[in-house]
Amino acid sequence: MKKILELLERNACLTPEQIAVMLGRDPDAVREQIKSFEKENVIVGYKTIVNWEKTENEPVTAMIELRVTPQRGEGFDEVAKRIYQYEEVSSVYLMSGGYDLAVMLEGKSMKEVAMFVAEKLAPMEQVISTATHFVLKKYKIDGNIVNDKLEDTREVISL
Amino acid sequence: MNYETLVSERASSIPPSGIRKFFDIVSEMKDAISLGVGEPDFVTPWHIRSEAIYSLERGRTYYTSNAGLMELRRELALYMERRIDVSYDPAKEILITVGGSEAIDLCIRALVNPGDEVLVPEPSFVCYKPCAVLAGAVPVPLVTKNEDKFKLTKEALLAAITPKTKLLVLPYPNNPTGGVMTRGDLEEIAQVLREKNIFVLSDEIYGELTYGMEHTSIASLPGMRERTIIVNGFSKSYAMTGWRLGWAAAPKEIMQLMVKIHQYAIMCAPTASQYAAIEAVKNGDEDIARMREQYDYRRKIIVDSFNKMGLSCFEPEGAFYVFPSIQSTGYSSEAFAETLLKKEKIAVVPGTAFGESGEGFVRCSYAYSLENINEALERIDRFVNGKGV
């Protein structure tokens, strides 16, 4: 079970048939398992990792540190929910340490992102403070090294 | 000058490697996909590389002792106890070599006299025979068969032994077949050897790459340590081919001879590589497990595909090669490889590169990314079954 998830987490393009061969399992059983993972939200979604820097429309990414006041009975969940429903928000994490919520934002320009923070996040009554950090360069995304595509440089040798 | 009459007859008599010959053609073909290379596609794990860099920063740029860094030999002694349950004295019974290859050469040179016979299972790695010939010995092939999963059988061994037999090469897990010898298989061989004065060169370079079973060293069987020379290295298990580092472990009476040859021919193995190797053997078990898992996935995909396309392929249990039979296509090994290369630009190695008994087979390495393997398999299928085009 865990192996199916590990394989898909590395490469979502693997077919149930391929996974079945790799794990020595029955294809139908693997297909069923994946379906039930999807149903139970163990598999939350499938994504392609895009290096937008290589395209003409590179979006601006920012990480916003939010300090917020937890609410009685709800903790941080209620405020997190209010935030993650915005389309501009790509990830929200509850953090330990110097601040509470890490919010990843995407926008067309720095101004757009800054305005979103100023107009949508900062005014929320539970939000005590915000700190906006723009991403300047992505070296590694979700386990994938971005620019350093390793060529096969192995030479011809007798063995 | 007429060089032919002047140079060494022995050196002239050994043929160039069949793999090399074939891949000279491949290297000229730019868009060919290769399943030919016999080395890991992984880069050496960073924590290992960084130890070598650190050793250079500290100025560790001198020779080491002839036998290699004591710390590395101690770690290897612990490693062998842990993995194959055999004890060696790091001071007198372990030698750090320039790859497993040097250890093979040293072992053969330390043991054979002119005319001695060296038994070499076939198909197998290409170096044993030439090394034996260069040492003045006579290599004797022991043919292993597909139906035996390319294991060495007691019968084949018994049939080949003569009063001149000095050494048995035991290259398992095997390149190119992927065959392994289980404890039970080894016990049968050991039974034959215990009663005779025959040494074993146990080439365990692929020992960490077995699937669904643990590697057993013949040295761990009762009465075998005294007649076994273990050859191993960092290349395959830790993806450290370019570091050129291996080791040998043997009873001290044999080891002192090997060290003598090594000190005159090589002096010592590269120092930076030895520092990297300490880190590898101390903290590399997880790297091995991670890479082995990836190889295992690819192995299953490639075996499944070959069998589905009608090229019967026994499931190899070690190394990173599959050895499918191509007899059903009507081609010889070499013709198959050449035609496949011309028509579909896929490079595989003809089985005959590993001895005559490799006829009817080709070797495919799965030390390649899954994308690469899948693309290659599609093209081989198209070639064999005429689909597509």
Side-chain angles (χ1 to χ4, degrees), chain B residues 47-114:
Chain B
H47 67 103
I48 298 173
R49 281 186 276 160
S50 72
E51 282 302 312
I53 295 169
Y54 183 49
S55 80
L56 294 174
E57 284 174 351
R58 281 179 302 163
R60 302 286 196 260
T61 58
Y62 304 104
Y63 296 127
T64 66
S65 69
N66 290 120
L69 290 171
M70 192 56 190
E71 189 185 354
L72 177 54
R73 284 182 278 151
R74 274 201 206 103
E75 287 298 333
L76 286 172
L78 294 173
Y79 169 87
M80 286 187 280
E81 258 170 42
R82 176 169 96 233
R83 303 295 296 187
I84 55 174
D85 197 23
V86 194
S87 297
Y88 287 96
D89 175 0
K92 290 182 178 149
E93 298 184 315
I94 297 175
L95 169 65
I96 310 300
T97 57
V98 178
S101 303
E102 188 211 337
I104 292 166
D105 184 35
L106 293 180
C107 169
I108 293 174
R109 285 205 269 169
L111 295 177
V112 303
N113 289 313

Side-chain angles (χ1 to χ4, degrees), chain B residues 178-320:
Chain B
V180 300
M181 296 284 279
T182 63
R183 179 170 287 271
D185 300 328
L186 290 171
E187 184 49 49
E188 298 231 315
I189 301 302
Q191 273 173 16
V192 176
L193 297 174
R194 279 188 199 109
E195 292 155 22
K196 302 196 158 63
N197 283 327
I198 297 176
F199 291 112
V200 180
L201 190 179
S202 184
D203 185 348
E204 303 179 18
I205 190 82
Y206 293 101
E208 287 285 1
L209 298 178
T210 57
Y211 309 103
M213 61 161 67
E214 292 278 311
H215 168 68
T216 303
S217 172
I218 195 165
S220 67
L221 269 44
M224 289 308 295
R225 184 190 181 283
E226 65 187 58
R227 61 185 75 246
T228 301
I229 297 87
I230 291 179
V231 167
N232 207 328
F234 295 85
S235 293
K236 316 293 179 174
S237 41
Y238 300 97
M240 291 179 71
T241 47
W243 301 77
R244 304 314 305 124
L245 207 69
W247 77 89
K252 59 179 188 297
E253 294 80 2
I254 296 172
M255 186 50 76
Q256 69 188 31
L257 301 175
M258 292 174 63
V259 171
K260 243 190 323 189
I261 305 172
H262 170 83
Q263 76 189 15
Y264 291 123
I266 302 286
M267 311 240 291
C268 73
T271 303
S273 298
Q274 294 191 49
Y275 280 104
I278 293 171
E279 170 67 15
V281 70
K282 259 180 161 168
N283 298 314
D285 285 1
E286 278 181 31
D287 300 306
I288 293 177
R290 176 176 53 84
M291 292 188 270
R292 178 172 42 218
E293 185 175 46
Q294 295 305 314
Y295 290 134
D296 191 19
Y297 290 145
R298 302 165 181 184
R299 176 183 74 105
K300 286 174 179 153
I301 291 269
I302 205 166
V303 169
D304 180 68
S305 297
F306 273 122
N307 282 320
K308 275 184 186 152
M309 69 176 83
L311 298 184
S312 82
C313 180
F314 98 97
E315 188 170 333
E317 292 173 302
F320 40 60

Side-chain angles (χ1 to χ4, degrees), chain A residues 19-31:
Chain A
I19 293 172
V21 171
M22 290 161 91
L23 298 178
R25 307 250 309 256
D26 174 60
D28 288 333
V30 171
R31 210 172 290 115

Side-chain angles (χ1 to χ4, degrees), chain A residues 19-148:
Chain A
I19 293 172
V21 171
M22 290 161 91
L23 298 178
R25 307 250 309 256
D26 174 60
D28 288 333
V30 171
R31 210 172 290 115
E32 279 307 305
Q33 183 65 61
I34 292 173
K35 261 187 209 148
S36 93
F37 279 142
E38 287 168 351
K39 208 167 143 197
E40 292 157 18
N41 228 18
V42 175
I43 292 177
V44 181
Y46 301 92
K47 279 192 78 167
T48 301
I49 296 158
V50 178
N51 181 11
W52 286 106
E53 225 176 272
K54 286 208 159 179
T55 68
E56 280 156 16
N57 35 2
E58 185 190 354
V60 174
T61 311
M63 205 237 345
I64 323 295
E65 297 174 3
L66 288 187
R67 289 176 60 227
V68 300
T69 316
Q71 288 168 295
R72 182 179 287 267
E74 304 284 351
F76 293 96
D77 294 353
E78 192 58 35
V79 61
K81 190 172 177 182
R82 281 164 180 263
I83 292 169
Y84 68 58
Q85 294 188 75
Y86 286 108
E87 279 296 319
E88 294 88 338
V89 172
S90 57
S91 316
V92 179
Y93 304 124
L94 179 62
M95 309 296 286
S96 68
Y99 60 97
D100 304 305
L101 293 177
V103 178
M104 301 297 291
L105 282 183
E106 291 208 344
K108 288 193 194 72
S109 65
M110 282 169 112
K111 190 175 171 191
E112 189 185 281
V113 171
M115 293 309 286
F116 178 85
V117 175
E119 289 172 3
K120 300 294 194 315
L121 297 183
M124 293 172 79
E125 62 176 306
Q126 302 89 339
V127 172
I128 301 164
S129 70
T130 68
T132 303
H133 307 277
F134 286 102
V135 173
L136 300 181
K137 188 169 180 180
K138 294 180 182 176
Y139 293 100
K140 193 174 186 181
I141 310 171
D142 294 340
N144 296 270
I145 294 167
V146 175
N147 273 319
D148 204 11

Side-chain angles (χ1 to χ4, degrees), chain A residues 3-4 6-7 10-11 14 17-25 150-159, chain B residues 17 19-20 23 27 37-41 43 125 175 236 293-294 297 300-301 304 363 367-368 370-371 374:
Chain A
K3 290 286 169 202
I4 296 179
E6 283 175 3
L7 284 171
R10 276 178 76 103
N11 180 1
L14 288 175
E17 289 73 21
Q18 285 171 320
I19 293 172
V21 171
M22 290 161 91
L23 298 178
R25 307 250 309 256
L150 284 174
E151 296 283 319
D152 191 343
T153 53
R154 290 177 286 173
E155 301 207 339
V156 173
I157 186 163
S158 317
L159 45 65
Chain B
S17 163
I19 311 178
R20 176 86 215 195
F23 276 89
S27 58
V37 181
E39 67 176 311
D41 56 319
V43 177
F125 178 46
N175 166 15
K236 316 293 179 174
E293 185 175 46
Q294 295 305 314
Y297 290 145
K300 286 174 179 153
I301 291 269
D304 180 68
R363 184 191 79 174
Y368 289 90
L370 258 188
E371 293 75 44
N374 281 328

